[in-house]
Amino acid sequence: MDMKLTPWLAILLLLASTAITFGKEVVHGFVGSNGIEPYSIVILIFALAYICISLDESGLLSYVAVHVTSRWGRNGRVLLLCFYALSTIMAVITNNDVVVLCLTPIICIFSDTTGADAEPFLIAMFIAANTASMALFIGNPTNIIVAEANDISFLSYSAWMGLPFLGAAVAGIAVLYLTSLRKIPQTIAIDMSIRPRDMLRNVRQAVVGAGILVSCLIALSVSSFFGVAVWIVTLPFGVAMLLVDSAIDIHTSRSARTLAIIPGSVSVSEPDIQLHEIPVAPLPLASSSVTAIVEPSDQVKSSGFRKTKLAKSLKRAIISIIHTSEIRIPTVSAVLRRLPYGIIPFSLGMFIIVESLSQQGWTPRLAWVLKRMCSSPAAAVFIVGAITTLACNVLNNLPMSILFSRALQHPIFAQVESSSRRGAMFALIIGSNVGANFTLVGSLAGLMFQGIASQKKREIGYFTFMRWCAPVMVAQLVAACAILVAELAVVQS
């Protein structure tokens, strides 16, 4: 079964068994509580996703990737470091999903043209993307969930997570470099016929899109001083990117049609074929006597035929609209197709399940266990970091973040000393990001990464992924948690 529909199967079973009710758990799961508002999180994710995917559609990200490959790609070990650094930078300014979507096929193409083994480069890209996603508020939906639940501002988040991210990034590349030396060739023959400039599909869109993304990040930083909700800040920039893409597409399509018209000739195209030009044989008119003896079953059949005809006409109209959109606004259509729609049913379903666990008393039990373990800031950071990292690979990082956010907000855990509570909160963010570097099921990005690699005939199995990533993940977790403990100690002193 598709992963995004699994929570809803569980919800239907719970409703059928009367373990939960629609008016309580389901409604509260949609509306949200305790600072976790599902609708605002979904809006924020989609606004940012549109901006980042639009940048990718413009070819800007591919341009940067091919430029790095052609500039430093002759030395395999240097190229590994470059891909790691490039993935890190791209994930900081966009998010981990966009990096996986953009760079996975590029690395596979690079491998096909050079003969180099793609596996170490793919793993380096994936680890860097998931590590760098903890740097900023917008890097991962799990960051958004935890920050929104605890009212953490954009600047405050960046200040606390900047150093742990850098520590995890350095530890990750150090371990990965040492463990992959034997699989990376010293020299690689680069195909110089692939030029970076050829990757740019629309220069104007790339420039404007980069400006909108930078402006969005600046606005998010400034909004921290005014207490404006993050989704309210981000949504206008997503809409602005949509309008810019639409305007550029319409202008480009009009210019193409203008160039296609030859002076003095008659344009022949699909719109010239009008429906009224098609001869239609007149239907015979039925007399009143015939109408009077029509059987009821014939009327039902006629009604069913009309409904079928209406459904087919509606289907043709929808297909026509989609086809016209792909011609008139191709960029917008491409971006809309790539938006992570699966996150809507998955995240909302998990919100409802977590609400059900809370109503059934499991959230306070988890809060009590965490309270007993978090006896000091250091214990809180390392224990919560380790537990949430492992929990990612049992529950997936998105539902895990929802569940643990609720537990850390519970009045039972509120009895813990404030520095330990803060440490546990940021350790949850570390675990939700680094935990995705342990197994492929740790995050939705992992499943997406495996799917794209498989399409490119690069099979990365579950245990192969663990063998590459487990040592890296442990080093990253220890480094990030140690830096976070040091930050807490400095602030406390």
Side-chain angles (χ1 to χ4, degrees), residues 242-452:
L242 174 64
L243 295 176
V244 168
D245 287 345
S246 301
I248 292 175
D249 280 348
I250 292 171
H251 175 74
T252 303
S253 62
R254 283 180 179 173
S255 300
R257 288 199 303 273
T258 302
L259 292 174
I261 297 175
I262 302 174
S265 66
V266 178
S267 176
V268 179
S269 59
E270 288 183 5
D272 295 326
I273 303 174
Q274 302 295 333
L275 290 177
H276 67 266
E277 296 173 359
I278 302 174
V280 180
L283 295 175
L285 296 175
S287 64
S288 58
S289 60
V290 174
T291 305
I293 62 172
V294 173
E295 297 291 334
S297 59
D298 293 336
Q299 292 178 358
V300 172
K301 289 178 181 178
S302 177
S303 175
F305 175 75
R306 284 197 299 271
K307 289 180 180 178
T308 304
K309 190 175 181 181
L310 179 63
K312 289 181 178 179
S313 299
L314 182 62
K315 182 179 179 180
R316 283 196 297 267
I318 293 173
I319 293 173
S320 176
I321 292 171
I322 294 173
H323 180 66
T324 303
S325 299
E326 289 177 345
I327 294 174
R328 298 291 177 86
I329 46 173
T331 303
V332 174
S333 300
V335 175
L336 292 178
R337 281 197 305 270
R338 291 178 58 186
L339 287 175
Y341 296 107
I343 202 171
I344 297 177
F346 183 77
S347 59
L348 291 180
M350 292 310 304
F351 275 120
I352 294 170
I353 290 176
V354 170
E355 180 67 28
S356 304
L357 290 173
S358 180
Q359 294 293 336
Q360 298 299 321
W362 287 103
T363 301
R365 289 186 177 94
L366 178 58
W368 182 83
V369 171
L370 293 175
K371 174 195 168 186
R372 295 293 296 257
M373 291 181 173
C374 298
S375 56
S376 66
V381 169
F382 279 99
I383 290 174
V384 172
I387 291 175
T388 53
T389 297
L390 295 175
C392 274
N393 299 279
V394 177
L395 298 174
N396 185 274
N397 63 351
L398 187 61
M400 182 282 298
S401 300
I402 299 169
L403 178 61
F404 275 79
S405 292
R406 288 287 178 85
L408 296 182
Q409 287 182 306
H410 199 275
I412 293 176
F413 192 78
Q415 301 171 20
V416 175
E417 186 262 331
S418 61
S419 182
S420 297
R421 288 202 311 273
R422 182 184 289 120
M425 178 180 63
F426 285 111
L428 168 57
I429 294 172
I430 292 173
S432 69
N433 287 272
V434 174
N437 288 337
F438 187 32
T439 67
L440 286 167
V441 299
S443 68
L444 295 176
L447 301 174
M448 183 170 59
F449 166 72
Q450 186 184 38
I452 297 172

Side-chain angles (χ1 to χ4, degrees), residues 119 122-123 440 449-450 453 458-462 464-465 468:
E119 204 168 89
L122 288 171
I123 295 296
L440 286 167
F449 166 72
Q450 186 184 38
R458 300 296 190 284
E459 298 297 334
I460 299 179
Y462 190 87
T464 301
F465 185 88
W468 273 103

Side-chain angles (χ1 to χ4, degrees), residues 471-493:
V472 178
M473 182 274 294
V474 172
Q476 289 183 318
L477 180 62
V478 171
C481 289
I483 293 173
L484 179 57
V485 169
E487 288 181 334
L488 291 168
V490 171
V491 172
Q492 196 172 18
S493 62

